[in-house]
Amino acid sequence: MPLKSWSLKKILLLSAAAWLIVITGLHAWLNVNWAAVLNDYRPEAKRKIIVAYLPVTCQLTCPVTDYISKYSENGELFLPRMFQGFPEMKEALISNKVQAAFIVAPMAIALKAQGVPIKVVYLGHRYGSAMVVSKNGPIKAFADLKGRTVAIPSRFSDERLILFRAMKVWHMPPDSIHMVEMAPPDVSGALAAGAIDGFVMGEPFPSQAEMAGYGRILFQARDYWPDYMSCILVVRQDLIDHNPEAVQVLVDGIARSGLWLDKSKPNREDAADFVGRFYYNQKPALLRWALTKPMDRVTYSPLAPRKADFDMVRDLMIETGVLKKKIDFSEYTDTSFSDHASRETAWKYQAGSATAK
């Protein structure tokens, strides 16, 4: 082989190898959560709590708390870890890969009934879920959903229970609607492609379909469920037993974030910006729509767990066949943390500020 040809081939191979190293390095820098990786190598007593969340506004207090607390005197309170669906989050919670998680209320009750050592300590939101159908499609009223396919986030979800409540109002049999489980980030695309006839999901996915022009809100959660709640914060029992102080700090931070979000429209717009860019990988304009059109589309206070709310969920679960036995509110909740958090005040923080209190 001629020398020049070999040299060129060598140069090309070296260039390709160098480019691969650069791309790999950039991927690791941009996409790997090094704080979480390093956390696994710390002594157990010094590890931060890992909190699981989905990219939905029902769980917005999680990234808001993480972002604002970095500027506070105590620094970062916990390590957030984003998931794309509830099944993966559930398995991580059971295996102790995460110590706390924002999951749907029926899933928390079902897990506790199955013996998983967790407790509900706080709510994530109120309202914030909606039924979406094709904007120019044949579904004009709820009764038109008969025989249609509707996506829900999980069979253990409040969104599924909303459909059953609505079917009762419209005197429709429980099997009138074909429900399919789907990860929240996938539903808007599935509706646009005609793979489903509608979906019931937490924001911002109803807003996403609405903004894109192919989706229409058929009803909001509050239309069939006053004081609706879906996502709640659960913590593993061993963390409560061994480090209740850390759980209290977490709940306090979530409570203060909820109050901060409900305080003003500018706060919600700021949250849409930093959560969209740094946590959810979503356009801030989408989150601004979901958080401000109107402001009570989703609310973040009051968030203390209430027995009446959870008893309703439990009874609906039994009625719809996803829970086999009655479980008491005190068995799966620990209200001591929310009792203290009720005395918290909103974060004092403005976007661009280097400090938060």
Side-chain angles (χ1 to χ4, degrees), residues 57-69:
T57 56
C58 305
Q59 305 181 12
L60 194 76
T61 51
C62 179
V64 166
T65 302
D66 181 66
Y67 185 85
I68 295 180
S69 64

Side-chain angles (χ1 to χ4, degrees), residues 27-39:
H27 169 74
W29 179 53
L30 293 172
N31 299 315
V32 175
N33 187 340
W34 291 107
V37 172
L38 294 172
N39 190 61

